[in-house]
């Protein structure tokens, strides 16, 4: 036992605590900020088999469904506590005209999905179907409006259709299509990637257009819109500066987006999702940690123009982007999901938690069958990915109080480059329980981590869980036993207000304490 090893000298114990290489100091009594559950949000676009075959199979399908929506997918997403869902895009949003997706399905016009595979979009999944999905998931809808190829009138009427209880043409149209009461949709994106696929605009041109479109998106009844302006691509700090200076923050928009994808190599050749070596694993960890610098720098600009913290930073597209799986449509962005993706998920979620004063929502791309998906489907089968299990583990942080933490740790070094080996979040739930999630990015070495819980005198271990695998490229696939899942973890020793956690290599661990 631990105490037998140090028997004979309390000073030895103090010395060990002081020199531990891997140490987390958690201030349990200094928490002020709330980790919004909306940080754990998701994104679903009309892209590949995310919508069709992922969520939507139609009422006549042999796959068990409720009103055309797959029961297994809904059940799985409810299990991870999905708080919100962003739709219909993505690039698709700025060529989507919402009136094409309402009314009798056999009468809806078709369109060509020019961004994703050049396939015919039959619009059978539209506004009513999406909001039915959100109802089944018990999550908030986040609708991204068409600023690129649409008009202020079109966006204004969509908001009215969704939210108005008044006597009006849009209200009458909604009722004629079977929905008597307004939905009261709160979250509204004013365009998507307007610097790129959403119109190739300059920052100032977008700021002017965003203010114009925002003027005509009205509040109805007691519902207050939370409008998300299109923010910067990665480190375009000029875009952020322009929008915060000239976009009427807090008035025309209450949130501003940020997009950053972790790409191992180059956009032309991103690398395989499953066939990669340690060099590629290390590069992925290094590149995903760039999110810390991005958040810090963008928040600094936001603080300059919005010292009252009225505007939220909304990271509504993030995650790993690999090459598509061999033999699949390159425009469908179908990729497998390994333990490496799970590590990327935990690191980014820790960073969003860290900056939760500003980061009020995030949406991983994408929920089903696309990019860093939670779920993969194949006809009537479904697979939960390693990333899914990280999101399930991190449910403990939803709407919890962030506990300030300081980390001292080894580096994970590959050749001559290094990154911190540990990533962590500590929070306190409404019932007083403390949760610590720790990731060990080192694929070779376990880490004994000392956690000093300042502000409390005595702790007790309640439960723990772990996500890991035999290899960095372990993954779950159809027709085989899961290689990565959420399992019980007990390698925790508590002594007063401190605990030691023995972290296996390449693992994510959650510890619950009383």
């Amino acid at each position: 036992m631990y105490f037998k090893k140090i028997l004979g000298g309390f000073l030895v114990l103090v010395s060990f605590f002081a020199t531990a290489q891997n140490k987390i100091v958690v201030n349990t009594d200094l928490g002020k900020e709330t980790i919004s559950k909306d940080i754990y949000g998701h994104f679903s676009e009309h892209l590949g088999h995310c919508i069709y075959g992922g969520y939507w199979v139609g009422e006549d399908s042999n796959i068990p469904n409720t009103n055309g929506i797959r029961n297994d997918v809904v059940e799985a997403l409810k299990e991870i506590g999905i708080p919100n869902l962003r739709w219909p895009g993505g690039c698709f949003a700025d060529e989507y005209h919402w009136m094409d997706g309402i009314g009798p399905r056999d009468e809806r016009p078709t369109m060509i999905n020019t961004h994703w595979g050049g396939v015919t979009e039959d619009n059978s999944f539209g506004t009513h179907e999406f909001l039915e999905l959100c109802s089944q998931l018990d999550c908030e809808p986040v609708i991204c409006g068409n600023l690129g190829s649409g008009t202020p009138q079109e966006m204004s009427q969509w908001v009215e259709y969704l939210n108005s209880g008044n006597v009006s043409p849009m209200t009458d149209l909604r009722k004629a299509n079977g929905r008597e009461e307004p939905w009261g949709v709160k979250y509204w994106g004013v365009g998507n990637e307007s610097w790129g696929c959403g119109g190739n605009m300059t920052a100032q041109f977008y700021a002017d257009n965003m203010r114009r479109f925002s003027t005509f998106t009205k509040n109805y009844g007691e519902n207050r819109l939370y409008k998300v302006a299109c923010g910067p691509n990665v480190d375009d700090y000029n875009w952020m500066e322009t929008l915060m200076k000239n976009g009427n923050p807090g008035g025309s928009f209450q949130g501003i987006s940020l997009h950053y994808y972790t790409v191992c190599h180059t956009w032309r050749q991103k690398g395989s999702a499953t066939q990669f070596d340690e060099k590629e694993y290390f590069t992925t960890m290094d590149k995903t940690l760039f999110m810390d610098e991005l958040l810090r720098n963008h928040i600094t600009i936001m603080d300059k123009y919005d010292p009252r913290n009225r505007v939220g930073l909304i990271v509504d597209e993030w995650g790993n982007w690999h090459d598509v799986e061999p033999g699949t449509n390159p425009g469908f962005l179908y990729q497998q999901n390994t333990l490496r993706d799970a590590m990327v998920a935990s690191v980014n979620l820790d960073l969003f938690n860290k900056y939760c004063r500003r980061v009020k929502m995030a949406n991983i791309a994408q929920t089903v069958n696309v990019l860093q998906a939670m779920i993969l489907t194949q006809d009537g089968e479904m697979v939960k990915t390693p990333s899914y299990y990280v999101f399930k583990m991190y449910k403990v942080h939803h709407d919890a109080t962030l506990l300030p933490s300081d980390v001292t740790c080894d580096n994970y070094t590959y050749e001559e480059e290094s990154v911190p080996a540990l990533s962590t979040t500590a929070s306190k739930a409404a019932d007083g329980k403390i949760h610590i999630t720790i990731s060990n990015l080192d694929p070779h070495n376990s880490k004994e981590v000392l956690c000093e819980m300042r502000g409390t005198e005595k702790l007790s271990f309640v439960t723990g869980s772990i996500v890991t695998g035999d290899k960095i490229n372990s993954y779950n696939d159809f027709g085989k036993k899961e290689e990565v899942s959420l399992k019980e973890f007990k390698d925790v020793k508590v002594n007063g207000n401190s605990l030691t956690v023995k972290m296996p290599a390449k693992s994510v661990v959650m510890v619950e304490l009383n």
Side-chain angles (χ1 to χ4, degrees), residues 43-52 55-56 86-93 95-96 101 108 111-127 129-130 158 331-332 366 370:
F43 170 39
S44 291
E45 185 170 5
H46 286 247
L47 198 174
H49 294 297
C50 184
I51 300 296
Y52 301 105
Y55 293 114
W56 180 254
R86 181 174 180 251
W87 172 87
C91 293
F92 183 80
E95 67 176 13
Y96 180 67
R108 298 179 187 178
M111 61 180 286
I112 302 299
N113 191 335
T114 61
H115 288 290
W116 306 119
V119 297
T120 298
E121 164 66 56
D122 69 0
N123 284 307
S124 59
F125 188 93
T127 296
E129 290 77 16
F130 171 65
W158 200 3
F332 284 6
Q366 293 188 10
V370 172

Side-chain angles (χ1 to χ4, degrees), residues 233-297:
N233 180 30
V234 192
D235 56 356
D236 186 349
Y237 300 118
N238 175 67
W239 187 284
M240 177 64 83
E241 185 100 26
T242 301
L243 264 290
M244 291 301 297
K245 182 178 181 180
N246 302 309
N248 186 27
S252 295
F253 63 96
Q254 292 71 47
I256 186 166
S257 69
L258 171 65
H259 289 183
Y260 174 60
Y261 287 95
T262 302
V263 177
C264 183
H265 295 298
T266 66
W267 280 102
R268 187 178 296 274
Q269 291 184 322
K270 303 175 186 69
S272 169
T274 57
Q275 303 302 310
F276 56 88
D277 58 19
E278 187 181 350
K279 181 178 180 180
E280 292 169 293
Y281 171 83
F282 176 87
T283 299
T284 302
M285 296 304 111
D286 187 36
K287 287 190 173 183
T288 208
L289 282 163
F290 181 53
M291 181 67 84
D292 195 348
E293 179 181 326
L294 289 175
L295 295 174
R296 184 173 63 251
N297 290 346

Side-chain angles (χ1 to χ4, degrees), residues 101-112:
I102 60 174
R105 294 193 197 103
D106 58 358
E107 297 178 11
R108 298 179 187 178
T110 61
M111 61 180 286
I112 302 299

